[in-house]
Amino acid sequence: MKTVRKLAWPLIGLAAIVFSLYGLYHELHGLSAADFMASLEAVSLKSWLLAGAATLAAYAALAAYDHLALEHLGHKISLWFITVCSFTAYALSHTVGASVFSGAVVRYRAYGSKGLTAGETGILVAFCSFTFALGTLMLAAIVLLVEPEITARFATFLPIGASISTGLIILALIALYIVGSLVGFRPLHTRWFRLEYPKPSLALRQLVIAPVELIAAAGIIYFALPEAGNPGYMVILGVFLASFSAALLSHAPGGLGVLELVFIAALPEMDPAGVLAGLAIFRLFYLIVPFLIALTVVVIFERGQFLAGRKAEAGEKDGA
């Protein structure tokens, strides 16, 4: 049974990749490498710089996820350590896949060195995941209200009235969450940890920080896309929310194929080569470069932990 559980997520991720690549083949069968390279070369220096700035903003907001979670737990850790740990956890999990689990391992190793227990690390991961979900729902509601016809892009067309109603219901549920924080609902008890409602000030900051991260991440793609046929930022944001959520749920490493398939299918008015080039820049800035930096951070951290352990062992022997 344990073997089945271990293999489940990798198999799901592999199936998602195969399905997405098959779909992409049919979407892009007429696209040549020359078309893709021409679209990539057509991206202006200004667009590259704006995409880079959006990446920095996105990862800064992700660090704030951890900062809020640690404040909720009552732990005070240096902002620099939180920033490095959060960056490493998200850079690895976004690329490796199964983000909740891979990010939890990194945080357990890092924050454990600062005194957090396994249960507290679990709460931190749950808090960060919920913050992301909260931001996704909030922005999805706003997109549905501003661009109610966007659902037609995903073959799930809803009448404009239904889209607006759905957006209002989502915002009402988020408002209920804030009310629950103000009132102070009872904490949730499990076998491993006790999950309490955050203070109102933390809940309100969640509603600011989570959208900032997603808005910036979508901005990377928006700035990298060509102007011809571009439907505007709100549509790009809506497509990003759908594609990134699908990529995370698929557990495919880096959302490989899933992100591209949803984006290209949802933007039929744009040149597929230009969309693919924009997504390549997104992968470079948001996934590949951070992943390489994160690997370096992990090696340096683990080396420091190993040397500290050896030093402690040597001190115990000398004391004996």
Side-chain angles (χ1 to χ4, degrees):
M1 190 65 181
K2 288 183 178 179
T3 303
V4 173
R5 281 198 293 259
K6 287 181 180 178
L7 292 175
W9 292 124
L11 288 175
I12 290 172
L14 180 61
I17 290 174
V18 172
F19 173 78
S20 300
L21 292 179
Y22 176 77
L24 274 176
Y25 171 77
H26 284 276
E27 292 283 348
L28 304 174
H29 65 276
L31 179 67
S32 67
D35 293 332
F36 170 73
M37 291 305 299
S39 296
L40 197 60
E41 291 170 0
V43 179
S44 66
L45 176 60
K46 178 183 176 182
S47 295
W48 280 93
L49 293 175
L50 287 172
T55 305
L56 294 176
Y59 273 97
L62 286 173
Y65 281 26
D66 281 37
H67 180 76
L68 287 180
L70 288 165
E71 186 176 338
H72 174 63
L73 289 168
H75 283 273
K76 291 185 178 180
I77 299 176
S78 74
L79 183 59
W80 171 249
F81 188 91
I82 294 173
T83 301
V84 173
C85 178
S86 171
F87 170 83
T88 304
Y90 282 111
L92 291 176
S93 63
H94 285 162
T95 307
V96 173
S99 60
V100 172
F101 305 106
S102 51
V105 172
V106 173
R107 289 186 173 94
Y108 176 72
R109 288 288 297 154
Y111 291 129
S113 68
K114 296 296 183 180
L116 266 71
T117 64
E120 287 176 324
T121 303
I123 294 174
L124 184 145
V125 172
F127 188 98
C128 291
S129 298
F130 182 76
T131 300
F132 169 79
L134 197 64
T136 301
L137 287 171
M138 183 176 175
L139 287 178
I142 293 172
V143 170
L144 285 173
L145 294 175
V146 177
E147 298 281 352
E149 68 282 357
I150 194 173
T151 56
R153 295 176 178 271
F154 305 105
T156 54
F157 178 70
L158 292 174
I160 290 178
S163 294
I164 293 174
S165 298
T166 301
L168 291 174
I169 289 171
I170 294 173
L171 291 179
L173 291 174
I174 293 173
L176 183 61
Y177 168 70
I178 298 300
V179 171
S181 178
L182 289 168
V183 173
F185 285 168
R186 291 180 179 178
L188 173 66
H189 290 274
T190 72
R191 181 179 175 182
W192 296 279
F193 59 80
R194 170 189 173 100
L195 186 60
E196 297 183 359
Y197 244 81
K199 295 182 295 185
S201 60
L202 285 178
L204 289 172
R205 276 184 281 166
Q206 280 180 297
L207 294 183
V208 174
I209 290 168
V212 167
E213 190 273 322
L214 292 163
I215 287 169
I220 302 171
I221 300 174
Y222 175 73
F223 291 131
L225 288 175
E227 292 184 7
N230 194 315
Y233 177 77
M234 288 302 293
V235 171
I236 299 302
L237 175 60
V239 176
F240 173 77
L241 293 173
S243 62
F244 197 67
S245 297
L248 290 176
L249 291 172
S250 72
H251 294 281
L256 184 62
V258 180
L259 197 74
E260 288 79 2
L261 178 61
V262 175
F263 247 98
I264 290 172
L267 297 174
E269 67 269 58
M270 295 194 70
D271 176 18
V275 176
L276 204 59
L279 293 174
I281 292 172
F282 171 78
R283 285 193 174 279
L284 176 66
F285 280 160
Y286 195 75
L287 300 176
I288 297 173
V289 172
F291 178 69
L292 295 176
I293 296 173
L295 286 179
T296 304
V297 171
V298 169
V299 170
I300 293 173
F301 175 79
E302 292 297 342
R303 181 176 181 275
Q305 292 294 102
F306 175 75
L307 293 176
R310 290 287 298 271
K311 187 176 181 181
E313 288 178 6
E316 289 176 2
K317 289 180 180 179
D318 292 340

